[in-house]
């Protein structure tokens, strides 16, 4: 089982932050062909926590955002091609959920992962929508 780490973005060392951003770019921008502004300023918000996993490298990552309305949002969930199917993303989701303070956590899931997120208690909370030419579904988990 790979090690799971978490820290507010502002507390990350430059190498770890670089590896997190590189992985997001490699998968979302290059592999999935979505030209979008991944560095959107939200990583630097005071309540944002980065989660990552791997053995000597960042093989999977996600971020936990604390929204102004009190809900929390999990986003930028990504796993390197070499590490897919190893359970890293599931470990990160579980770690992020364990750190949430709000009874409501939301996620904008790629539609083909709806059932996968359902394993963690997320349920569809709206209609499908397009984001960067990929069908997504809004999902909510309430404790």
């Amino acid at each position: 089982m790979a090690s799971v780490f978490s820290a507010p973005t502002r507390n990350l060392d430059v190498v770890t932050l670089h590896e997190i951003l590189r992985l997001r770019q490699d998968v979302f921008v290059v592999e999935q062909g979505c030209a979008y502004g991944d560095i959107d300023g939200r990583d630097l918000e005071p309540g944002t926590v980065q989660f990552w996993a791997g053995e000597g490298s960042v093989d999977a990552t996600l971020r936990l955002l604390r929204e102004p309305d009190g809900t929390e949002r999990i986003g930028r969930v990504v796993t390197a091609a070499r590490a897919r199917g190893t359970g890293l993303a599931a470990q990160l989701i579980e770690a992020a959920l364990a750190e949430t303070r709000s009874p409501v956590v939301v996620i904008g899931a790629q539609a083909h992962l709806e059932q996968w997120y359902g394993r963690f208690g997320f349920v569809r909370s709206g209609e499908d929508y397009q984001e960067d030419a990929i069908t997504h579904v809004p999902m909510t988990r309430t404790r």
Side-chain angles (χ1 to χ4, degrees):
M1 185 173 283
S3 299
V4 173
F5 306 94
S6 67
T9 308
R10 294 174 183 266
N11 295 353
L12 291 177
D13 66 271
V14 69
V15 173
T16 301
L17 179 58
H18 175 270
E19 290 301 302
I20 287 170
L21 295 174
R22 180 199 50 76
L23 177 57
R24 288 172 18 184
Q25 174 184 279
D26 287 351
V27 175
F28 296 135
V29 177
V30 177
E31 181 183 325
Q32 294 182 353
C34 300
Y36 76 106
D38 177 52
I39 301 174
D40 59 2
R42 301 232 42 208
D43 291 302
L44 294 179
E45 292 176 0
T48 301
V49 178
Q50 301 289 335
F51 290 79
W52 68 98
E55 294 297 332
S57 63
V58 175
D59 294 325
T61 186
L62 64 77
R63 71 180 180 186
L64 177 63
L65 303 171
R66 296 196 164 94
E67 301 289 9
D69 67 0
T71 63
E72 290 177 282
R73 174 176 300 278
I74 292 175
R76 301 296 202 264
V77 181
V78 61
T79 303
R82 68 183 174 278
R84 292 184 191 143
T86 64
L88 290 181
Q91 286 179 254
L92 291 177
I93 293 287
E94 290 169 353
L97 290 172
E99 282 207 26
T100 59
R101 301 177 207 157
S102 173
V104 179
V105 180
V106 297
I107 192 165
Q110 290 187 5
H112 72 277
L113 295 171
E114 182 176 356
Q115 289 184 327
W116 187 82
Y117 285 110
R119 296 174 28 196
F120 305 99
F122 287 93
V123 296
R124 173 185 283 267
S125 55
E127 297 299 317
D128 289 358
Y129 62 95
Q130 293 294 307
E131 186 172 312
D132 300 311
I134 297 173
T135 304
H136 284 69
V137 57
M139 300 185 80
T140 302
R141 180 180 187 268
T142 306
R143 323 182 232 164

